[in-house]
Amino acid sequence: MKPHLLQNEELKELIAKIPGWEIISNHLEREFNFGDFIEAFSFMTKIALICEKYNHHPNWENVYSKVIIKLSTHDLGGITNLDQKIASEINEIFEK
Amino acid sequence: MKPHLLQNEELKELIAKIPGWEIISNHLEREFNFGDFIEAFSFMTKIALICEKYNHHPNWENVYSKVIIKLSTHDLGGITNLDQKIASEINEIFEK
């Protein structure tokens, strides 16, 4: 997938497509909460595999049962369709 | 291991025992850099197992090949011997 920056209209429509994510200063961000560290880190492991597959990696942090994920495409300076795709796949994993 | 807060003298000696770590506003912190995301996340996976074993979890973040780890003992409001032990084990993993 060749990433392209999402433009105004696309950004407006974006949030409806990836519930839970917010646009915060040029990146997508969502906080996920789990029952404990094992659940949180298992979630991170699944995401790591997806991100490696797309060769597109998040800025993310974890404290115990909380995971905060930030997605953007540095090379293009903003949010792209690739960020959207990965955010969508992360939501699918979370909902399972 | 029952954690206890490290006192002034112990804190002074601490840094010599865990090379690379800094004391930053009531927590221990170290940045680790790797060749790529796979190496960085493999490192995180090993640390996750250790932290779960001690039931003591870091505040940590990752961006591609960089991992920043912050250790403190919230219940006691500072840096304890348990943080020191985990920092030391993290160093051992990193050096392998």
Side-chain angles (χ1 to χ4, degrees), chain B residues 41-64:
Chain B
F41 197 76
S42 302
F43 175 68
M44 291 176 74
T45 303
K46 290 175 189 164
I47 293 170
L49 297 173
I50 286 174
C51 293
E52 189 60 24
K53 182 174 73 176
Y54 290 111
N55 193 28
H56 190 65
H57 303 86
N59 180 333
W60 54 351
E61 56 187 273
N62 159 247
V63 186
Y64 192 57

Side-chain angles (χ1 to χ4, degrees), chain A residues 6-85:
Chain A
L6 298 182
Q7 304 302 326
N8 288 349
E9 279 308 309
E10 289 172 306
L11 281 175
K12 280 183 198 158
E13 293 165 8
L14 174 63
I15 292 307
K17 293 177 184 165
I18 48 172
W21 292 82
E22 288 179 280
I23 297 172
I24 298 177
S25 63
N26 240 15
H27 68 262
L28 288 174
E29 181 164 335
R30 185 172 175 188
E31 179 179 316
F32 298 87
N33 286 284
F34 298 88
D36 58 23
F37 177 73
I38 291 178
E39 285 181 26
F41 197 76
S42 302
F43 174 70
M44 291 176 74
T45 304
K46 290 175 190 165
I47 293 170
L49 298 173
I50 286 175
C51 292
E52 190 60 25
K53 182 175 71 177
Y54 290 111
N55 192 29
H56 189 65
H57 303 86
N59 180 333
W60 54 351
E61 55 188 272
N62 160 245
V63 187
Y64 193 57
S65 59
K66 181 167 78 180
V67 180
I68 297 171
I69 304 177
K70 297 172 187 172
L71 294 169
S72 70
T73 304
H74 292 279
D75 293 351
L76 298 179
I79 300 167
T80 64
N81 54 328
L82 182 54
D83 296 307
Q84 178 184 344
K85 180 163 185 56

Side-chain angles (χ1 to χ4, degrees), chain B residues 6 10-18 23 28 79 84:
Chain B
L6 298 181
E10 289 171 307
L11 281 175
K12 279 182 198 158
E13 293 165 7
L14 176 63
I15 292 307
K17 292 177 184 166
I18 47 171
I23 297 172
L28 289 174
I79 299 167
Q84 178 184 345

